[in-house]
Amino acid sequence: MWQDEALCSGLNTEDFFTNYEENIKLAEQIDLMCINCPVIGECFKYGVSTESWGVWGGVYLVDGKIDSMKNSHKTDEVWSRILGEVT
């Protein structure tokens, strides 16, 4: 399963939900991890298709849609790298 190959496998899941929302430094670290993850595309697609919230494929989603406020810390370079991997 793709989740087993994710770099975040085994980490505290709260870091991708509540903690991400509250801690900009943590959010930036998670963004970098996601950019380098071999299953970033599968993760993003899963988050969108299941209408999930939290970080999926390096993007913070709410009901499977990109939340611009929770992703506002991302630079153009980060967006470019994420979108290059998930599309």
Side-chain angles (χ1 to χ4, degrees), residues 48-81:
V48 170
S49 68
T50 58
E51 299 180 349
S52 295
W53 71 278
V55 180
W56 296 93
V59 180
Y60 195 95
L61 304 174
V62 173
D63 297 327
K65 294 178 177 51
I66 296 173
D67 184 307
S68 58
M69 192 169 122
K70 299 284 191 298
N71 290 292
S72 63
H73 67 277
K74 289 179 173 60
T75 64
D76 289 343
E77 178 186 349
V78 169
W79 272 119
S80 176
R81 290 180 66 187

Side-chain angles (χ1 to χ4, degrees), residues 7 15-16 20 23-37 40 54-60 70-75 77-79 81-82 85:
L7 293 179
D15 287 346
F16 299 87
Y20 187 93
N23 185 332
I24 190 72
K25 294 286 185 202
L26 176 64
E28 291 170 348
Q29 291 172 343
I30 289 173
D31 292 347
L32 282 174
M33 179 176 49
C34 290
I35 287 169
N36 293 296
C37 185
I40 187 173
V55 180
W56 296 93
V59 180
Y60 195 95
K70 299 284 191 298
N71 290 292
S72 63
H73 67 277
K74 289 179 173 60
T75 64
E77 178 186 349
V78 169
W79 272 119
R81 290 180 66 187
I82 289 172
E85 294 293 329

